[in-house]
Amino acid sequence: MTRILGISRHPRFSPNSEERDAAIFAKVCEKLAAHGVEVITCPESAVKTFSPQDWATVQPDVVFSMARFDAVLCQLEVLSQQSIPVLNQPTALRTASRESFYHTLHQAGLPWVETHLLRPATDSFPPCDFPLWLKRNDARSEVAGDVAFVTDADTYLAAMSDFVQRGVDEVVATPHVKGDLIKFYGVKGTDFFYYYYPTAENDFSKFGLERHNGSPQGFPLNETYFKSIADQTAHLTGLTIYGGDAVLTEQGEIYLIDFNDFPSFSRCRDAAATAIAECVLREIHRE
């Protein structure tokens, strides 16, 4: 019987979303089991210390993973080198950063918001006009301060000082783009794509930062183009199972402002889990 290993995410990487992340993980396992495959689950904290004997015991044919600990990603890289499919790609996750996304996507002609790399310990002057955003460069937000909306020099210096105190070595600064904020979710290679306007209603928010974009104005959106650039971004970053944020301007321009791996899909969990299971099973048939 085909054996699939699912690795769940450590709570450290699920700020204010632990239950939501657990729910999508469980739903994907449910969808896969319905196809008659064996699904083994393991928390990433346990995989951190897996030995070669542990891997020999598990012997997965495919792995789907929400893990973010570097030690786990290193383990999964070894599996990938042994031709065992892993979703999302562990190498992509290990090298992912907001700055690298910007350069990769900008070179490909995709509309990622202008991004400036900063080192909080030494960079005292903002690289673009206020208001702007400061974010951890490694894109692994763990606490509210990892993403900061900055309106003036005082709040800029305070945010940079906070990054230094918490040992964050690199952050990025991006200009605040005015327009309709859109959250989106997808699974590359499937028909699944879902988006919504989080400020149109009192929607869940990890840190409450969406309010800075205000209520959506209903600017015209080309849905086909939107899905196309999201899937192209997934292809270029190696994040097959993805979510993100974009801003649609009054002129009809779309700017991607965030892109991340294996989100909670809380508003579209069942459809997303079906697509993720489809993607995982396709890897089995590809062998």
Side-chain angles (χ1 to χ4, degrees):
M1 177 183 289
T2 297
R3 178 175 290 180
I4 296 171
L5 173 64
I7 303 174
S8 58
R9 181 169 291 154
H10 192 277
R12 170 181 169 181
F13 302 114
S14 296
N16 299 329
S17 294
E18 187 175 343
E19 291 183 0
R20 291 173 175 82
D21 281 352
I24 184 61
F25 182 80
K27 181 62 71 172
V28 173
C29 292
E30 175 189 313
K31 297 286 186 180
L32 287 168
H35 284 272
V37 297
E38 182 182 3
V39 182
I40 300 172
T41 63
C42 193
E44 67 171 306
S45 57
V47 180
K48 283 176 69 175
T49 57
F50 260 25
S51 67
Q53 181 59 45
D54 291 324
W55 285 114
T57 300
V58 176
Q59 288 188 324
D61 296 293
V62 181
V63 177
F64 76 94
S65 171
M66 299 182 77
R68 289 181 178 171
F69 277 126
D70 194 63
V72 178
L73 299 177
C74 288
Q75 296 255 25
L76 296 178
E77 278 186 324
V78 173
L79 283 191
S80 294
Q81 292 163 4
Q82 298 171 354
S83 300
I84 297 174
V86 180
L87 300 174
N88 286 309
Q89 295 176 17
T91 302
L93 284 165
R94 290 195 69 207
T95 60
S97 73
R98 289 185 166 99
E99 182 203 22
S100 66
F101 281 5
Y102 170 67
H103 289 296
T104 298
L105 302 178
H106 184 70
Q107 188 174 19
L110 295 176
W112 189 272
V113 68
E114 176 188 343
T115 301
H116 305 269
L117 180 65
L118 302 173
R119 289 172 175 78
T122 57
D123 290 316
S124 302
F125 299 98
C128 51
D129 293 336
F130 298 117
L132 57 82
W133 293 86
L134 294 175
K135 305 176 184 180
R136 285 178 65 130
N137 185 39
D138 63 11
R140 298 179 187 180
S141 297
E142 299 175 22
V143 298
D146 285 338
V147 180
F149 182 66
V150 175
T151 56
D152 55 37
D154 288 341
T155 52
Y156 175 83
L157 292 174
M160 293 291 268
S161 176
D162 178 62
F163 282 120
V164 172
Q165 291 174 16
R166 291 187 290 109
V168 179
D169 296 326
E170 294 183 341
V171 303
V172 294
T174 63
H176 177 66
V177 181
K178 294 182 179 180
D180 292 351
L181 179 66
I182 306 174
K183 286 191 173 293
F184 62 92
Y185 306 97
V187 180
K188 185 174 74 72
T190 73
D191 292 332
F192 172 75
F193 187 70
Y194 181 93
Y195 68 90
Y196 71 101
Y197 298 82
T199 59
E201 52 193 88
N202 187 24
D203 191 66
F204 165 78
S205 172
K206 282 186 179 182
F207 304 128
L209 295 171
E210 290 84 356
R211 68 182 186 278
H212 294 295
N213 279 86
S215 299
Q217 301 301 303
F219 300 138
L221 173 65
N222 183 327
E223 297 181 14
T224 301
Y225 172 65
F226 189 23
K227 183 180 188 304
S228 171
I229 62 173
D231 277 345
Q232 288 180 70
T233 300
H235 174 73
L236 290 169
T237 60
L239 303 183
T240 300
I241 304 165
Y242 65 82
D245 297 86
V247 174
L248 175 65
T249 71
E250 185 176 5
Q251 293 74 33
E253 298 173 311
I254 296 175
Y255 289 93
L256 301 183
I257 59 174
D258 244 330
F259 199 80
N260 43 67
D261 65 292
F262 220 133
S264 60
F265 297 98
S266 56
R267 289 182 59 124
C268 50
R269 186 177 297 131
D270 191 74
T274 297
I276 294 167
E278 173 190 333
C279 194
V280 172
L281 293 169
R282 187 169 57 236
E283 294 297 332
I284 296 171
H285 300 145
R286 195 171 284 168
E287 296 180 350

